[in-house]
Amino acid sequence: MRVLFLVSVFLLIAPISVLMAEESNKSAGGSIPGSGEDGAVHIVYVDRPGEEEPEAFHIRTLASVVGGEDAAKEALIYHYKHAASGFSAKLTPQQVAELSQKPEVLQVVPSRTMQLHSGTGAAVHRQGLV
């Protein structure tokens, strides 16, 4: 039941996460440090760490698949630690597969950029019709 609740919360905040990661996607282009491969930004949802600080837990979790703590710090883009527990990082397909197998990892999803549309409401409001 706890996992279902956490996944539901993550799915609700995922669009916000995507927008926050959009700028990071632009600056995180190129190959992944130490891998020689191109990767893509993914959002990794994890169980909340017990007594461990979320950032340290995220780095430790990521370090196990990217080749060490320094590589994890380079790959990390953002820590999610309030409404959700997780992080976004630039990962290769192999790293995604390895992370997905870890018991503390709930889900790994590609970061997607969503376009927000204001519809006609903004134009009507600008014209003073509201």
Side-chain angles (χ1 to χ4, degrees):
M1 183 57 109
R2 179 175 163 239
V3 172
L4 182 60
F5 171 75
L6 289 174
V7 171
S8 298
V9 169
F10 298 147
L11 292 176
L12 289 173
I13 66 164
I16 296 168
S17 310
V18 169
L19 293 173
M20 292 170 62
E22 179 181 337
E23 188 61 33
S24 296
N25 267 340
K26 292 176 187 171
S27 63
S31 65
I32 295 180
S35 75
E37 296 181 47
D38 283 341
V41 176
H42 285 76
I43 300 170
V44 180
Y45 298 106
V46 297
D47 279 328
R48 288 201 182 276
E51 297 296 318
E52 191 173 2
E53 287 293 318
E55 292 92 344
F57 179 73
H58 300 160
I59 290 168
R60 184 171 54 80
T61 301
L62 185 56
S64 66
V65 300
V66 297
E69 190 174 312
D70 289 337
K73 288 178 181 178
E74 276 190 60
L76 266 165
I77 295 170
Y78 191 82
H79 294 278
Y80 303 99
K81 54 191 175 184
H82 298 290
S85 180
F87 55 90
S88 59
K90 191 161 186 190
L91 303 168
T92 65
Q94 168 137 5
Q95 292 166 339
V96 169
E98 289 179 37
L99 269 176
S100 296
Q101 298 302 312
K102 297 198 164 290
E104 65 270 22
V105 174
L106 301 174
Q107 187 177 26
V108 181
V109 296
S111 178
R112 298 182 303 147
T113 301
M114 303 288 198
Q115 183 68 35
L116 298 178
H117 299 282
S118 62
T120 59
V124 169
H125 186 63
R126 276 194 304 262
Q127 294 173 0
L129 301 174
V130 178

